[in-house]
Amino acid sequence: MKPARFSYAAPTSMSEALALLAESEDARVIAGGQSLAPMMNMRLAQPELLVDINRIDGLSGVGLDAGSLVIGAMTRHADLAGNALVKAHAPVLAYAAGTIGHYAIRQRGTIGGSLAHADPAAQLPLVCMLLDARIDATSSEGVRTIEAADLFETLFTTTLEPSEMITSICVPLLEPGHGWGFRLFNRRAGDFAEVSAAAIVFNREGEAAVRLALGAIASAPFRADDLLPEFDPQDAGWPTRAAAIVAEAAPIEDNARMPADYRREVLQALLEDVLRDAMRRA
Amino acid sequence: MIVEAYERLPIALTVNGRSYDVTVEPRRLLSDVLREDCGLTGTHVGCEHGVCGACTVLIDGRPARSCLTYAVQMQGASITTIEHHGASGELSALQQALHERHGLQCGFCTPGIVMTMQAWLDENPEPTEEGVREALSGNICRCTGYQNIVDAVLVAAGRQADMRKAGK
Ligand SMILES: Cc1cc2nc3c(=O)[nH]c(=O)nc-3n(C[C@@H](O)[C@H](O)[C@H](O)COP(=O)(O)OP(=O)(O)OC[C@H]3O[C@@H](n4cnc5c(N)ncnc54)[C@H](O)[C@@H]3O)c2cc1C
Ligand code: FES
Ligand code: FES
């Protein structure tokens, strides 16, 4: 399986990269190549021009800015998983990044690439939705900030323009009192999720709230806070009850490998664990 | 600068510390260039879409699929292949353990496993069996059923720890 012919550019500055994206009819950014290269090898993608953003300085790394983590688009999954700031302020993101694919894949794949690729079963789109992340998309016209909830349109489709590049991801910090849960079900370690779920529970000084996001069961990950029954952090039976209610109500698409009924049962079991994990950690 | 689709670009690839002058069009996979242009056939090619791990090499010290990388991307990078492991004439602790524990049959998957698991062991010097199994999930072996590979990686980790203690 070899890719079709393509032209290649490896700009060293943002302005060069953005000009190439603006000028070319059919250019694609290549970051880690862990999704684009397989698609090109299978000729599911045949871009005319690849704009390699690996040589542009300043696109990777994690910083703190005004109550948020600011994550460069080229930050690799392994570095996100191991980053001390991410572990301290958004542990669910670090944990989820460490579950992506396999060890070697995580050394190359990037957060920007994962979000732009928009696989409904991918970890980072799900967790970015859960955390109310904001995504900075840059083109030669300027920077546009997109709420994670508005980025994912459907299967492998985002609201990014072809001339836009994700440059950074801004994740609000989780303050004390927040607990998290993330679980996925796959058939083999490293495979994409068949069902995935992530939750954040906030429980402090009489205030309580819960957020929930579900992945892999529909054409895009989605927030499911509204499907949850009223949250009672004192009620030890709440996760079991909530899991049953959400699993019953969640829209689940059929898929050739796994019928919806089966996925619904898996979802219920995952949800119970995820909600329990989040309550325990809060 | 754009390299056109039909253009062939001369590049210098640094592999195992040696420079190879090769001429590639953009779509040439690093795995093919290593095998065909550099003559380094220890890097194997199985699935060509990132799943089997046979083509794993190190790029700047980190494991990567050479079938998901284009050789043109590798100007200025440092690539390490399985041939590096044989360079001293002795087997590494991991290779020796794979040999003793029957961690291979046909050996097709072995170069990728050595490249991946050596890097992983360097990062995780005191591994659990579960950790080894998780890390191995990215390398498909069609022969051994994994038990012996897992054993070999754990044995190699133990020996490497002993060597560290002995200050070698
Ligand atoms: C064997 C295998 C298993 C995998 N398992 C999982 C898994 O379990 N979970 C998971 O989430 N992923 C998985 N992946 C895919 C994941 O590893 C990739 O990291 C990710 O989906 C793409 O990131 P990338 O940096 O490699 O992007 P690329 O492959 O370089 O690009 C992907 C897409 O995003 C676009 N793009 C890249 N960067 C940007 C940017 N900054 N701005 C705009 N567009 C951009 C590209 O044009 C392309 O369309 C797996 C991959 C493999 C090969
Ligand atoms: S040949 Fe590269 S992963 Fe299979
Ligand atoms: S030993 Fe034959 S594929 Fe692994």
Side-chain angles (χ1 to χ4, degrees):
Chain A
M1 291 192 294
K2 313 291 179 194
R5 287 198 168 83
F6 59 85
S7 304
Y8 173 82
T12 51
S13 71
M14 274 299 290
S15 54
E16 241 182 298
L18 296 175
L20 286 165
L21 290 177
E23 285 157 20
S24 170
E25 281 287 293
D26 183 24
R28 289 283 277 275
V29 166
I30 187 162
Q34 303 301 291
S35 292
L36 184 54
M39 291 201 327
M40 287 173 60
N41 282 2
M42 292 188 266
R43 304 219 176 175
L44 296 171
Q46 304 194 10
E48 252 161 46
L49 171 67
L50 277 195
V51 180
D52 187 342
I53 58 173
N54 282 275
R55 284 172 201 272
I56 303 174
D57 276 340
L59 272 180
S60 68
V62 180
L64 273 180
D65 181 43
S68 291
L69 288 170
V70 181
I71 302 168
M74 278 299 299
T75 307
R76 318 245 178 214
H77 306 323
D79 298 328
L80 196 61
N83 185 277
L85 286 174
V86 181
K87 282 184 179 171
H89 299 295
V92 60
L93 181 58
Y95 176 82
T99 67
I100 296 173
H102 312 283
Y103 178 64
I105 305 296
R106 292 194 291 272
Q107 309 297 320
R108 299 294 298 170
T110 68
I111 182 170
S114 181
L115 297 180
H117 186 59
D119 190 309
Q123 283 84 336
L124 299 182
L126 177 78
V127 173
C128 283
M129 283 196 81
L130 179 77
L131 293 171
D132 294 322
R134 295 182 301 277
I135 289 101
D136 274 356
T138 307
S139 71
S140 48
E141 313 274 290
V143 185
R144 179 167 78 101
T145 300
I146 309 169
E147 301 288 334
D150 299 328
L151 183 67
F152 308 106
E153 219 159 44
T154 179
L155 211 64
F156 307 122
T157 312
T158 64
T159 52
L160 289 170
E161 298 293 331
S163 60
E164 280 180 329
M165 205 175 107
I166 295 179
T167 37
S168 66
I169 296 93
C170 186
V171 178
L173 307 185
L174 289 183
E175 305 295 345
H178 283 99
W180 60 276
F182 171 90
R183 299 223 182 182
L184 63 87
F185 177 80
N186 55 14
R187 296 195 158 189
R188 202 179 54 127
D191 282 357
F192 273 97
E194 300 286 352
V195 179
S196 59
I200 305 266
V201 159
F202 179 69
N203 184 17
R204 207 177 194 203
E205 290 160 5
E207 273 189 65
V210 56
R211 292 184 243 170
L212 179 67
L214 305 179
I217 55 175
S219 53
F222 61 96
R223 279 287 282 273
D225 306 11
D226 57 337
L227 301 182
L228 285 164
E230 193 169 344
F231 180 43
D232 177 3
Q234 308 307 327
D235 176 4
W238 184 82
T240 313
R241 205 153 41 82
I245 291 170
V246 175
E248 175 69 31
I252 301 183
E253 285 174 14
D254 251 320
N255 115 358
R257 296 179 307 267
M258 226 177 245
D261 286 351
Y262 179 57
R263 294 169 120 196
R264 204 174 291 285
E265 281 185 39
V266 172
L267 175 63
Q268 184 172 340
L270 276 191
L271 275 169
E272 195 171 334
D273 290 340
V274 164
L275 294 170
R276 255 185 226 295
D277 288 347
M279 278 174 79
R280 179 170 46 78
R281 290 184 176 123
Chain B
M1 185 194 79
I2 297 181
V3 187
E4 298 297 339
Y6 288 83
E7 202 176 333
R8 291 162 61 82
L9 181 77
I11 59 170
L13 268 192
T14 306
V15 189
N16 305 326
R18 211 190 113 180
S19 180
Y20 292 80
D21 293 315
V22 295
T23 302
V24 295
E25 56 174 333
R27 70 163 170 160
R28 286 295 298 291
L29 301 175
L30 176 61
S31 44
D32 289 336
V33 171
L34 288 171
R35 291 176 57 82
E36 294 163 10
D37 301 34
C38 304
L40 299 167
T41 52
T43 298
H44 290 172
V45 170
C47 67
E48 289 189 327
H49 61 272
V51 174
C52 75
C55 69
T56 307
V57 300
L58 305 185
I59 297 176
D60 294 329
R62 298 172 73 161
R65 306 298 207 222
S66 58
C67 73
L68 302 184
T69 309
Y70 306 107
V72 279
Q73 297 184 279
M74 292 293 106
Q75 285 243 55
S78 162
I79 297 158
T80 312
T81 68
I82 189 65
E83 281 82 0
H84 165 79
H85 279 257
S88 70
E90 278 176 41
L91 296 181
S92 67
L94 179 55
Q95 287 173 309
Q96 183 66 34
L98 282 163
H99 170 67
E100 289 168 16
R101 294 286 162 139
H102 307 288
L104 60 143
Q105 291 186 46
C106 78
F108 185 79
C109 65
T110 314
I113 286 181
V114 170
M115 296 314 289
T116 310
M117 295 311 290
Q118 187 63 60
W120 187 82
L121 280 177
D122 292 347
E123 248 190 275
N124 301 275
E126 288 170 15
T128 60
E129 178 179 334
E130 194 194 347
V132 171
R133 286 187 185 277
E134 202 279 331
L136 265 178
S137 70
N139 293 78
I140 292 177
C141 175
R142 309 247 292 187
C143 306
T144 70
Y146 292 98
Q147 189 56 53
N148 294 351
I149 307 178
V150 173
D151 286 348
V153 174
L154 289 168
V155 165
R159 287 186 189 155
Q160 286 187 343
D162 291 345
M163 287 194 296
R164 271 194 308 277
K165 276 194 208 111
K168 283 190 196 159

